[in-house]
Amino acid sequence: MTAVLQDKTVVLGVTGGISAYKAAEVCRLLRKAGARVEVVMTPAACAFITPLTMEALSGNSVATEMFETTAQSHIGHIELASRADIVVVAPATADAIARFAAGMANDLLAAVVLATRAPVLLAPAMNSNMWDNPITQANLARLIDTGRFSTVGPDAGELACGWVGAGRLVAPAEIMAAIESRLAGAPDAARAEGALAGRRTVVTAGPTWEAVDDVRFLGNRSSGKMGFALAHTAAMQGADVTLIAGPVALATPAGVTRRIDVESALEMREALRRVAMQADVVVMAAAVADFRPGVRVLGKLSRRDAHPAAARPARTLPLVANPDLLAELGRARKGRAPLLVGFAAEVGVSGEALVARARQKLTEKGCDVVVANEVGKAGLGLGAEYNAVTMVFADGRVVDLPADRKEAIAMKIWNTITTFYLTPADASASNKSVPASAGLSPISPGKRRARRGRKGNDV
Ligand code: PMT
């Protein structure tokens, strides 16, 4: 944990959901990290966890009513709103999100959220159908578009209502990481002037798991490190970053605006459907499974199923092809935004053959850039700390990035992309507001020729 929370004032909003009890742990961790915590609870939240609990943990009286005649009445929603370095709403129900999006101020928390100029972090938690509902998604998109709101989670899994899907409040530790990264990113002037300032980027990372039954899956050895490094370095250069992560054991990098956790290729496809077409750049670093089991067995597939021990033949697992998510995006964008950056993971292929494979994938999947890496070498690529890549561009240019730590490789990938695609005019425009559909435009052929004249690795 960093010192970023020391002496910061965090307004912790708690709304009425079954996971409200986790707000107690968030409160405890915030205090432990040195923050002053002011808790605001909606009336519904008080049905799930008592203000007394939050009072004991925060060390402050808890505000619940807009017009109280008790001790905290002198604070008022405006004072609370202006004292906050960050407002965190955990859990944030669909109802609360809808009210924030509508600009309502019909309870103390909504009034604080409306009145504050501090960043607001929402940790949504709700039934999966409520989460998937386009109304909820539109409300969230509206809030995020203001530039002040960001989200952490929700997680997918078994929900309190008994359903299985996305909608579970993320773990308190993850909320803490998101708070720290939001606070660390907020005052950073370098980010505002970064080469990707104002650009909306979507990065996919990690493996996908394709369920065989309730306990087994088909997966791969991707750790997510390459994708997370790309997300982190984009955020450091000012981009608004949506990170779509397969099942990995990595904390959300500082500065990342929102993280969507998925498990399977089909879930990743759904997440991409929600965010990819509004982005300026999509980078597909995830190792998406090409196949999934044809049927998912409920419960646990048993070795005794179907056959007596004596006549037990080898099992066969029927597989069906997963959709090619990158190719789908390549078709859907019809040659327009977003700029599409694919990866190519190859085993035992290097040099010109690697470039040829990357070119083939670039054409087949309709990308602008393919980042090729050889993944069978010890210490490089899949699961490793280091990588070495070759970037192949649609116009034929090739850039080699020799072995380095993934964070350094990621930075060079972004530098190459912005050098190649971001004109000086775009760069100054990007510090203003760039429309979501703007994408990154290729530099003019004249400038491109000039750049081609330079050495391959000059990034
Ligand atoms: O996660 P790490 O341990 O850090 O490792 C990083 C990495 C090796 C996984 C990464 O650098 C990488 O190469 N990612 C792409 C892996 C992959 O799936 O490559 P591919 O050649 O099979 O696929 C080509 C492209 O199509 C990729 O952008 C992939 O995301 C995409 N794809 C693949 C299959 C599929 N069904 N849908 C897809 O969108």
Side-chain angles (χ1 to χ4, degrees):
M1 198 162 290
T2 65
V4 71
L5 275 156
Q6 190 65 46
D7 296 328
K8 292 287 188 308
T9 298
V10 179
V11 170
L12 177 59
V14 188
T15 68
I18 193 80
S19 55
Y21 72 94
K22 288 191 194 167
E25 177 65 359
V26 175
C27 183
R28 192 187 69 79
L29 292 172
L30 283 167
R31 287 285 305 283
K32 197 171 158 209
R36 275 183 301 276
V37 188
E38 305 271 9
V39 178
V40 179
M41 295 175 72
T42 62
C46 301
F48 290 92
I49 181 169
T50 67
L52 195 61
T53 305
M54 298 307 288
E55 211 161 293
L57 288 167
S58 68
N60 279 320
S61 53
V62 169
T64 55
E65 300 287 338
M66 183 90 92
F67 307 108
E68 280 184 357
T69 52
T70 50
Q72 67 266 35
S73 63
H74 69 280
I75 294 174
H77 60 278
I78 301 297
E79 197 184 329
L80 256 180
S82 57
R83 275 200 290 147
D85 289 299
I86 186 167
V87 177
V88 179
V89 185
T93 58
D95 173 73
I97 290 167
R99 286 186 294 115
F100 301 158
M104 291 177 75
N106 58 344
D107 65 21
L108 180 61
L109 180 60
V112 169
V113 167
L114 190 62
T116 192
R117 293 195 153 184
V120 182
L121 176 70
L122 304 173
M126 64 196 73
N127 162 275
S128 53
N129 274 7
M130 291 167 88
W131 170 251
D132 286 336
N133 193 307
I135 299 173
T136 304
Q137 292 304 319
N139 286 337
L140 271 174
R142 185 167 189 199
L143 291 169
I144 287 162
D145 278 351
T146 64
R148 272 198 317 113
F149 289 78
S150 57
T151 57
V152 54
D155 263 347
E158 194 168 340
L159 306 175
C161 54
W163 294 38
V164 176
R168 211 167 53 183
L169 185 71
V170 293
E174 205 174 317
I175 295 173
M176 288 297 291
I179 296 170
E180 288 192 346
S181 100
R182 192 73 207 268
L183 280 173
D188 190 346
R191 277 168 48 85
E193 286 161 17
L196 290 166
R199 305 291 187 183
R200 294 180 194 210
T201 62
V202 172
V203 178
T204 67
T208 63
W209 286 357
E210 311 298 327
V212 174
D213 58 21
D214 288 352
V215 293
R216 304 181 180 91
F217 59 86
L218 300 179
N220 60 66
R221 297 180 199 282
S222 166
S223 63
K225 286 174 192 159
M226 191 67 242
F228 274 56
L230 282 157
H232 182 224
T233 47
M236 289 304 101
Q237 294 182 73
D240 172 291
V241 182
T242 300
L243 173 60
I244 302 177
V248 293
L250 297 175
T252 309
V256 165
T257 322
R258 65 198 71 80
R259 170 174 175 170
I260 305 175
D261 286 305
V262 298
E263 189 171 292
S264 63
L266 294 182
E267 283 178 18
M268 189 168 277
R269 181 200 223 179
E270 278 314 305
L272 281 165
R273 277 193 177 150
R274 292 214 301 270
V275 294
M277 283 303 151
Q278 289 88 51
D280 297 307
V281 192
V282 175
V283 182
M284 295 282 291
V288 185
D290 284 315
F291 301 97
R292 66 178 185 278
V295 261
R296 176 183 176 154
V297 174
L298 290 175
K300 184 171 170 241
L301 194 63
S302 160
R303 55 187 291 129
R304 270 176 280 285
D305 278 352
H307 297 285
R312 206 169 286 147
R315 272 198 180 276
T316 50
L317 185 64
L319 297 177
V320 294
N322 269 329
D324 188 323
L325 313 186
L326 181 56
E328 282 185 348
L329 288 179
R331 286 191 294 273
R333 70 176 180 147
K334 298 190 177 81
R336 297 194 296 270
L339 188 93
L340 216 46
V341 183
F343 267 70
E346 307 294 344
V347 179
V349 181
S350 56
E352 278 309 308
L354 184 65
V355 172
R357 289 285 267 272
R359 235 174 233 140
Q360 192 184 349
K361 284 188 177 167
L362 187 139
T363 312
E364 284 170 2
K365 297 178 186 243
C367 311
D368 299 292
V369 188
V370 163
V371 181
N373 46 190
E374 210 191 326
V375 293
K377 281 186 176 168
L380 280 182
L382 207 60
E385 297 296 327
Y386 287 75
N387 206 1
V389 305
T390 301
M391 297 177 73
V392 175
F393 287 80
D395 75 342
R397 193 171 104 140
V398 174
V399 176
D400 280 322
L401 301 177
D404 209 335
R405 296 192 72 81
K406 283 182 177 168
E407 190 85 2
I409 292 284
M411 187 59 95
K412 288 176 191 169
I413 288 173
W414 283 120
N415 287 349
T416 311
I417 289 170
T418 51
T419 305
F420 195 39
Y421 281 98
L422 199 61
T423 64
D426 283 341
S428 61
S430 73
N431 288 335
K432 296 170 196 138
S433 169
V434 178
S437 58
L440 297 180
S441 42
I443 57 172
S444 66
K447 284 180 185 146
R448 191 176 297 160
R449 268 195 300 280
R451 293 227 164 92
R452 268 217 196 110
R454 286 153 60 179
K455 277 214 167 98
N457 298 330
D458 55 350
V459 287

